[in-house]
Amino acid sequence: MIVSPLMTVMVDAVRKAARGLKRDFGEIENLQVSRKGPGDFVTAADRKAEATLREALMKARPGYGLIMEESGVIEGQDKTHTWHVDPLDGTTNFLHGVPHFCISVGLEREGTIVAAVIYEPIKDELYLAERGKGAFLNNKRLRVAGRQDLADSLALYGSPYLGRGSHPRLLKELAAVMAVTGGVRQTGSAALDLAAVACGRADVYWERDIKTWDMAAGLLLVREAGGFASSADGGADPMTAGSVACGNEVLQRELVAILRKVGG
Ligand code: LIP
């Protein structure tokens, strides 16, 4: 697999930030027992990782803008390029010492996502994609699962933090999807859910009320792996709709039909 100079820049930045996250995650175990819990510690870890990514990406591509979970929008002189960065996707998992979290960096060029890196540091799984050049996990080419029957499928979903989105709606969606699939799971990381669909570990995934930094990189992985992604109700770009439903062509279409039938 030939890695372009752009991907090299992105991977170097992600791996540098991951070193700190991995070290901080090792500390988490000791903090679980503290009365206050590790909340502030995790926030500090998140912000440290974001600062590392911001510095590395701005140094490598000075004019590009950034949209980052902790720092918000950082305007760049080059209005055609924007980084979408989640320095710690799966924050709640990290907080509780659950080893399922990642760093996600996607690059948008004039409204199209053109490059993606997702890195899961505990399993050392590096997902890469460039538009038109395929998606890879640790240099192995990815394809979405080929299952054609929802009854055989594994569905992933995400739920919004307390105070965001509609939990009653999600419960209705869960009931409808559970009734027709082989299993439903919530992993707590949108980026890793999208990566799971891209590498065929899951067949479909949906989530509402998520941000561009959660999904920019994963959407490119899914599409470069032959999958399809739309807004949860279908017909719109997930990046503008703030929701996603993805899978192979057949199952993604069936998932959207189920979600639309459940309604608001
Ligand atoms: C999380 C997402 C997850 C979603 C959570 C949260 P964070 O991102 O990856 O899918 O269900 O509500 O938004 O906060 O860990 O970066």
Side-chain angles (χ1 to χ4, degrees):
M1 182 190 76
I2 298 170
V3 182
S4 68
L6 172 64
M7 294 307 293
T8 302
V9 158
M10 294 171 70
V11 170
D12 289 351
V14 166
R15 284 195 181 280
K16 187 176 179 186
R19 284 195 289 274
L21 268 191
K22 211 171 167 180
R23 185 177 54 249
D24 289 342
F25 185 69
E27 287 297 308
I28 286 286
E29 292 296 337
N30 308 328
L31 294 172
Q32 293 300 338
V33 296
S34 63
R35 182 179 299 277
K36 192 178 170 203
D40 293 347
F41 180 85
V42 171
T43 304
D46 202 341
R47 287 180 178 157
K48 265 191 302 183
E50 183 163 291
T52 301
L53 290 161
R54 185 174 59 242
E55 182 186 343
L57 293 172
M58 290 180 83
K59 185 177 175 190
R61 294 290 184 279
Y64 290 12
L66 302 100
I67 297 177
M68 310 184 91
E69 183 168 29
E70 303 302 321
S71 311
V73 178
I74 301 171
E75 293 290 344
Q77 290 174 339
D78 176 349
K79 301 302 181 191
T80 64
H81 287 87
T82 304
W83 299 109
H84 295 268
V85 179
D86 192 339
L88 173 53
D89 188 57
T91 311
T92 303
N93 291 342
F94 190 97
L95 177 71
H96 291 270
V98 176
H100 187 76
F101 56 88
C102 68
I103 296 175
S104 179
V105 178
L107 177 61
E108 180 183 351
R109 178 178 296 142
E110 296 177 299
T112 301
I113 306 161
V114 295
V117 173
I118 292 177
Y119 183 50
E120 205 280 272
I122 304 302
K123 289 202 284 286
D124 191 26
E125 290 192 329
L126 181 67
Y127 299 86
L128 303 179
E130 268 194 287
R131 184 169 162 78
K133 298 181 182 175
F136 299 85
L137 167 54
N138 293 352
N139 298 320
K140 178 175 174 286
R141 184 105 189 204
L142 299 181
R143 291 298 296 175
V144 293
R147 289 181 190 84
Q148 302 290 297
D149 186 347
L150 267 180
D152 301 329
S153 71
L154 178 63
L156 302 181
Y157 73 98
S159 62
Y161 281 131
L162 285 179
R164 253 175 43 193
S166 164
H167 287 117
R169 176 179 193 165
L170 174 59
L171 291 174
K172 287 191 287 184
E173 293 177 341
L174 272 178
V177 173
M178 281 175 174
V180 296
T181 54
V184 183
R185 305 281 187 277
Q186 178 177 8
T187 77
S189 167
L192 287 177
D193 289 343
L194 288 159
V197 170
C199 68
R201 291 174 178 167
D203 300 282
V204 292
Y205 159 65
W206 87 98
E207 186 159 357
R208 297 180 188 276
D209 303 292
I210 53 171
K211 306 296 185 185
T212 63
W213 53 74
D214 289 316
M215 60 177 145
L219 287 171
L220 184 60
L221 281 175
V222 167
R223 290 166 174 152
E224 287 297 316
F228 289 72
S230 71
S231 54
D233 296 316
D237 176 358
M239 294 283 281
T240 50
S243 69
V244 63
C246 65
N248 67 34
E249 184 173 11
V250 171
L251 298 189
Q252 191 266 352
R253 192 167 52 235
E254 289 188 21
L255 174 63
V256 166
I258 291 167
L259 298 177
R260 287 171 67 96
K261 192 174 176 188
V262 166

